[in-house]
Each structure stands twice: as C-alpha cells, then as structure tokens.
C-alpha cells in the first residue's frame, strides 16, 4: 500500500523558515518524480514545486521561486521542502504527491498518490 506522510509543519513568524518532509512507503521513490502542492482555506489547490526522480530537474511556482527549495533523498525514501523568507500568504496545508516517471509536472491530475498534508501557518 502506497503511503506518503508529511511532517514538519507548524507555526512560524513571517520571515522565518520551516522544513517539511514527505516520507514514502510502499513504493520505490527513485521511480517517481515528486511534487509539493498547497491549499489555503477557500482557495484551490496550488502547485508549489516538483523534482525529477533523480533530483536533477526541479520546477517552481513563481510565487515561491528563490525562497523554497525541494530536495530528495531516495535512500531514505524522503522528499523535503525547505521554506525560507516565509510570508503570511504561504499559509496553507502542504501536501506531497508522487508521479510515476521522470518528468516534472505542475498539474494535479499528473500525480498518482497523495499525502494527507501538513499545516503551515505564517503569522504576520
């Protein structure tokens, strides 16, 4: 059974940093590209970033480029999202997703498995 479990969310002040993790089980992470999405109350799910299965290619939403960094450790079956210079508008539930294959993508329907999410709240 495929499971993606996010952790590391919390409350942080604007300008601060936070790292969230996504631990995968039931799949070989090195066969999947991975993405992070977020959803704020009353808003649609939004693409944040993605990384290819080797880690050699990444893709970021313009709203987080230069502030967020996605990385992965295939030996640990874990993907990370380092978030710096956080803003109140980054407040959302952050979910990781797995996409079989090597390409990175930003559309939700390209992903085959999803985690439940972790709450990130940025106070002003």
């Amino acid at each position: 059974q495929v499971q993606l479990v996010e952790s590391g969310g919390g409350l942080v002040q604007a300008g601060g940093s936070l790292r969230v993790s996504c631990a995968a089980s039931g799949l070989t992470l090195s066969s999947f590209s991975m993405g992070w999405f977020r959803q704020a109350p009353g808003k649609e799910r939004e693409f944040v970033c993605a990384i290819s299965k080797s880690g050699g290619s990444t893709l970021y939403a313009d709203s987080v480029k230069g502030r967020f960094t996605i990385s992965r450790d295939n030996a640990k079956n874990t993907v990370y999202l380092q978030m710096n210079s956080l803003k109140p508008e980054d407040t959302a539930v952050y979910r990781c997703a797995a996409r079989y294959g090597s390409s990175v993508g930003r559309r939700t329907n390209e992903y085959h498995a999803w985690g439940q999410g972790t709450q990130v709240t940025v106070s002003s």
Side-chain angles (χ1 to χ4, degrees):
Q1 180 182 0
V2 174
Q3 268 199 317
L4 301 175
V5 179
E6 300 91 340
S7 62
L11 174 65
V12 63
Q13 287 190 331
S17 298
L18 206 60
R19 188 177 82 158
V20 293
S21 302
C22 171
S25 60
L27 57 82
T28 303
L29 195 67
S30 58
S31 296
F32 291 79
S33 61
M34 298 295 293
W36 285 97
F37 292 77
R38 67 187 182 186
Q39 189 165 16
K43 294 189 176 181
E44 291 189 355
R45 191 177 305 175
E46 175 188 22
F47 170 78
V48 177
C49 57
I51 188 167
S52 62
K53 61 181 183 180
S54 68
S57 180
T58 56
L59 184 65
Y60 292 92
D62 288 344
S63 58
V64 306
K65 201 173 294 183
R67 299 188 298 122
F68 289 13
T69 303
I70 187 172
S71 62
R72 63 190 299 156
D73 186 337
N74 287 339
K76 295 183 178 179
N77 254 23
T78 302
V79 178
Y80 305 98
L81 178 62
Q82 176 67 42
M83 301 181 286
N84 299 329
S85 302
L86 282 161
K87 305 175 181 180
E89 51 264 43
D90 294 319
T91 295
V93 173
Y94 284 72
R95 298 177 70 182
C96 64
R99 177 188 184 196
Y100 186 76
S102 56
S103 300
V104 291
R106 60 176 73 234
R107 293 194 298 268
T108 57
N109 62 5
E110 295 175 317
Y111 289 82
H112 306 103
W114 292 82
Q116 290 298 308
T118 185
Q119 176 70 47
V120 172
T121 303
V122 184
S123 63
S124 57

